[in-house]
């Protein structure tokens, strides 16, 4: 599969079809550039993207789709996510129609659009109905053609919902499914990890389905978040007896983890 190299693509702010990109607040990591290369590859139709909080999963997915939209005025952007709340206690039923009820869950989309492109261009895309958002609950019967689709917070999708999602894809459509294995709000019912595992093989890749993983080294939100994610990995995946035994040397574990890319849960060697 021939990947469209990022080095051959101009990344400076530009203006195609009224989309003007803001200057980025951070430099892409090598892994983020590799992700963008993959997303821009016309042979890639579906991407499963995993990674910890703050590793730019949503930003990079929307950025790549907007880059492609800027070169193809016939395609639209569709944002999908669950209506599951991240708190233990919910707000209850929200007033209004479906659009009004779903509005609070689309804030991450418009926050990222505001970060990537100019405000007037966001309004233009909405006015032309080139940017839309729907909840995962309303996909049955849909058939997507000529679209770029970003499904966010996929760790809150069940396996059945993910099955419905990926079987909506039609011609000239690219689907990016983003999730974090560490954060799920549906009490063990997530199907994201199982779905990623199913398509993590060479046969899937040869047929246009790619799996991609961001790591703690791709976290751009803040330095303290890198520290927090490293501590989480220690507390969640280090055997309790080992952690208690080496409690006073925990900072060494943290330093070890923050200086390497965390991909799958593993136990680091005990520091000397």
């Amino acid at each position: 599969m021939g990947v469209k190299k990022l080095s051959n693509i101009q990344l400076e702010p530009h203006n195609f079809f009224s989309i003007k990109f803001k200057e980025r607040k951070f430099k892409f990591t090598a892994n983020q550039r590799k992700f963008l290369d993959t997303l821009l590859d016309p042979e890639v139709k579906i991407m499963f993207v995993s990674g910890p909080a703050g590793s730019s999963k949503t930003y990079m997915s929307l950025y790549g789709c907007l880059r492609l939209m800027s070169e193809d005025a016939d395609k639209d952007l569709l944002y999908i996510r669950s209506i599951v709340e991240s708190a233990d206690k919910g707000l209850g039923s929200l007033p209004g129609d479906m659009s009004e009820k779903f509005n609070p869950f689309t804030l991450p989309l418009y926050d990222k659009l505001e970060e990537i492109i100019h405000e007037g261009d966001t309004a233009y895309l909405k006015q032309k109905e080139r940017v839309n958002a729907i909840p995962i609950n309303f996909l049955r019967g849909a058939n997507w053609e000529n679209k770029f689709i970003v499904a966010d917070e996929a760790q809150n999708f069940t396996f059945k919902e993910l099955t419905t999602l990926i079987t909506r894809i039609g011609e000239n459509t690219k689907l990016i499914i983003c999730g974090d294995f560490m954060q799920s709000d549906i009490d063990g019912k997530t199907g994201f990890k199982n779905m990623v595992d199913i398509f993590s093989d060479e046969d899937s890749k040869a047929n246009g389905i790619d799996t991609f993983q961001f790591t703690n080294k791709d976290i751009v939100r803040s330095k303290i978040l890198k520290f927090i994610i490293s501590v989480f990995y220690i507390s969640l995946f280090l055997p309790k007896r080992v952690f208690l035994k080496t409690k006073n040397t925990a900072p060494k574990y943290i330093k070890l983890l923050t200086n390497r890319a965390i991909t799958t849960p593993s136990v680091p060697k005990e520091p000397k």
Side-chain angles (χ1 to χ4, degrees):
M1 186 185 300
V3 175
K4 190 175 182 181
K5 292 297 182 183
L6 188 63
S7 56
N8 297 328
I9 301 168
Q10 183 178 340
L11 288 176
E12 301 303 320
H14 57 282
N15 184 1
F16 298 126
F17 300 111
S18 298
I19 300 179
K20 297 180 289 294
F21 288 77
K22 290 181 178 179
E23 185 175 352
R24 294 193 311 276
K25 296 179 181 179
F26 63 93
K27 291 181 65 176
F28 288 151
T29 66
N31 203 32
Q32 288 165 346
R33 294 175 71 88
K34 181 181 177 183
F35 167 83
L36 203 53
D37 285 341
T38 306
L39 189 152
L40 295 175
D41 182 356
E43 298 300 318
V44 174
K45 306 302 182 184
I46 299 176
M47 287 186 74
F48 289 93
V49 186
S50 60
S55 57
S56 74
K57 301 181 295 295
T58 307
Y59 178 99
M60 294 300 301
S61 298
L62 291 172
Y63 181 88
C65 288
L66 288 166
R67 288 298 307 270
L68 291 170
M69 284 176 65
S70 72
E71 300 170 3
D72 190 342
D74 295 326
K75 290 187 178 179
D76 306 323
L77 173 65
L78 181 62
Y79 179 80
I80 298 170
R81 65 172 289 165
S82 171
I83 57 172
V84 173
E85 298 175 43
S86 58
D88 289 336
K89 294 184 178 180
L91 292 173
S93 298
L94 297 175
D97 58 21
M98 185 196 78
S99 178
E100 292 170 323
K101 291 177 185 290
F102 191 52
N103 272 341
F105 300 96
T106 64
L107 291 176
L109 165 65
Y110 293 108
D111 284 346
K112 291 295 184 292
L113 290 180
E114 183 179 337
E115 190 176 347
I116 298 170
I117 62 178
H118 291 272
E119 183 178 350
D121 296 326
T122 301
Y124 169 84
L125 291 173
K126 289 181 68 177
Q127 179 187 6
K128 296 294 184 181
E129 297 185 342
R130 294 192 64 195
V131 172
N132 290 285
I134 59 172
I136 188 74
N137 318 52
F138 291 84
L139 303 187
R140 185 72 66 189
N143 177 32
W144 296 322
E145 294 186 352
N146 298 312
K147 291 187 183 299
F148 300 114
I149 301 160
V150 175
D152 206 6
E153 303 293 345
Q155 74 275 1
N156 288 330
F157 298 168
T158 65
F159 193 87
K160 181 179 179 181
E161 288 171 336
L162 282 163
T163 301
T164 302
L165 172 68
I166 64 174
T167 54
R168 302 305 96 196
I169 190 168
E171 295 296 329
N172 302 314
T173 291
K174 191 181 292 282
L175 170 62
I176 302 99
I177 305 170
C178 307
D180 180 354
F181 297 140
M182 289 180 65
Q183 298 188 82
S184 178
D185 305 304
I186 55 175
D187 299 326
K189 298 177 183 177
T190 177
F192 182 58
K193 180 68 165 64
N194 288 341
M195 190 67 76
V196 170
D197 289 343
I198 287 173
F199 291 103
S200 296
D201 61 357
E202 290 303 317
D203 193 37
S204 296
K205 182 174 287 190
N207 281 277
I209 303 177
D210 201 283
T211 57
F212 194 93
Q213 190 164 37
F214 286 116
T215 74
N216 59 315
K217 287 195 171 184
D218 299 306
I219 294 175
V220 294
R221 186 171 297 164
S222 64
K223 288 183 179 180
I224 193 170
L225 182 57
K226 285 188 177 183
F227 173 83
I228 291 169
I229 294 299
S230 300
V231 171
F232 278 164
Y233 266 85
I234 288 175
S235 62
L236 290 173
F237 303 120
L238 193 64
K240 186 175 181 180
R241 58 180 177 77
V242 177
F243 182 66
L244 292 175
K245 178 182 177 182
T246 59
K247 189 175 181 181
N248 293 332
T249 59
K252 293 184 180 181
Y253 279 110
I254 295 169
K255 184 176 181 181
L256 176 64
L257 287 170
T258 52
N259 287 335
R260 71 170 188 172
I262 301 171
T263 53
T264 55
S266 60
V267 179
K269 292 182 180 179
E270 190 167 337
K272 298 179 180 178

